[in-house]
Amino acid sequence: MVASTGTAGQGVEVTRVGGRWRVTRPWPSQLRPFVHSYAGYWEAAASPYRVRLVPTGRAVLVISLGEPFAQIRRLGDASPNSQVTGSLVAGLEDGPRVCDHPGGQEAIRLELTPLGAYRLFAVPMSELTNRVVELRDVLGPEAGVLVEQLAAMGDWGARFDLLDIALSARLGRGPCPAPEVSHAWRLLSRAGGAIPVGAIAAEVGWSQGHLIRRFTQQIGLTPKMSARVLRFHRAAGLLAREGANLTEVTSACGFYDQAHLNREFRDLAGTTPGRMAAACVAEGALAL
């Protein structure tokens, strides 16, 4: 369902996706090498919810313009500590995470390539692995000013304009990843994780040990774990298609057999391939 609103702004498309309104606009060319997705959204009717996030091989930036999350924790973490998280940064993950929200969410969410996140955040991505931190703790006090400005705007086109300028400026002065790491990530991504680490090291001209150290620093996961995550993410995408065949997906993604695929889904998502394929997915989250 596509709808228009008086506050959407020029070139902005507003669609209803389940219980949310989703706002999109093509992002500028200078952001495209670094961004997988970029959208604003708000709830059609405010109500508490719980969702699960699973590994994707991407970093996430969420700018909260409404109510913040009540809690974000790793699945199985029984710690009594509960952190209220507003605008946030999430590094690459090797396991599932549960998010609780009280309702009334309005936000802008970006999925970044690992090397795009490395340039944007200007910190070793290994410091953000399996972590969710406040946006200001990564981008500094100016991040709080930016969030306040975005929240004060009623026009989504103006919001996107301001954010595009801020992102482009920070990416332009961010650190450049090693060409060898960039090439290694391209090889892994294009193969959906189905390529040996030794072959990647030989291709980029580094020893395996040196590749693992530099890759982990700039990507956030080791090459081996990155391969597992990318293979899992590809399998999850194929299984979500209508008429997907489990045997064909197992073979296409390079799993030894269906038992191997099942183990990887339990380890990385805390669920089965069938349950994940049937789940409702919105803004990178599973309603299980």
Side-chain angles (χ1 to χ4, degrees):
M1 174 182 176
V2 179
S4 61
T5 73
T7 59
Q10 186 174 10
V12 171
E13 184 177 86
V14 182
T15 59
R16 179 72 177 265
V17 182
R20 293 183 174 186
W21 291 100
R22 191 172 192 269
V23 195
T24 57
R25 186 182 71 177
W27 52 89
S29 58
Q30 63 266 30
L31 298 184
R32 289 174 192 161
F34 312 110
V35 178
H36 273 290
S37 66
Y38 179 173
Y41 59 91
W42 71 93
E43 292 178 76
S47 59
Y49 66 86
R50 170 176 288 180
V51 293
R52 183 179 304 179
L53 303 178
V54 299
T56 61
R58 301 167 188 173
V60 174
L61 188 160
V62 176
I63 297 173
S64 180
L65 308 174
E67 289 295 319
F69 286 100
Q71 181 176 248
I72 302 177
R73 60 180 174 80
R74 292 275 284 188
L75 185 67
D77 182 2
S79 170
N81 296 328
S82 175
Q83 179 186 16
V84 176
T85 307
S87 298
L88 60 87
V89 166
L92 269 66
E93 302 265 10
D94 62 11
R97 189 172 291 277
V98 176
C99 303
D100 292 306
H101 197 280
Q105 188 179 35
E106 181 176 0
I108 301 173
R109 183 179 185 275
L110 292 89
E111 286 191 350
L112 305 163
T113 69
L115 294 174
Y118 175 69
R119 289 189 62 152
L120 182 67
F121 303 146
V123 298
M125 287 301 293
S126 54
E127 295 182 3
L128 298 174
T129 303
N130 292 328
R131 294 184 64 203
V132 176
V133 299
E134 297 280 354
L135 181 62
R136 64 177 177 268
D137 292 340
V138 178
L139 299 187
E142 65 270 20
V145 176
L146 175 63
V147 173
E148 290 178 1
Q149 292 174 331
L150 292 168
M153 293 175 170
D155 182 280
W156 277 97
R159 282 176 170 171
F160 289 150
D161 287 342
L162 178 60
L163 187 56
D164 289 346
I165 292 170
L167 292 171
S168 298
R170 186 158 180 106
L171 284 164
R173 63 177 185 267
C176 293
E180 293 86 353
V181 173
S182 297
H183 187 41
W185 178 254
R186 281 195 301 271
L187 290 171
L188 265 178
S189 299
R190 290 172 181 172
I195 181 172
V197 176
I200 297 172
E203 174 72 19
V204 304
W206 279 353
S207 70
Q208 286 196 45
H210 189 64
L211 172 66
I212 291 169
R213 287 190 296 273
R214 296 292 301 278
F215 187 99
T216 304
Q217 179 198 41
Q218 296 183 12
I219 298 295
L221 298 174
T222 66
K224 183 176 180 180
M225 180 53 73
S226 295
R228 288 181 64 193
V229 167
L230 290 169
R231 183 175 56 190
F232 157 79
H233 186 59
R234 183 186 178 206
L238 292 175
L239 287 171
R241 296 178 180 177
E242 186 176 353
N245 180 282
L246 192 60
T247 300
E248 293 175 355
V249 171
T250 299
S251 175
C253 295
F255 294 99
Y256 300 126
D257 50 29
Q258 289 185 24
H260 181 206
L261 180 144
N262 288 336
R263 286 195 301 274
E264 290 292 270
F265 270 69
R266 283 196 300 270
D267 288 348
L268 297 176
T271 189
T272 65
R275 285 194 68 202
M276 188 165 170
C280 177
V281 181
E283 304 303 334
L286 303 175
L288 291 171

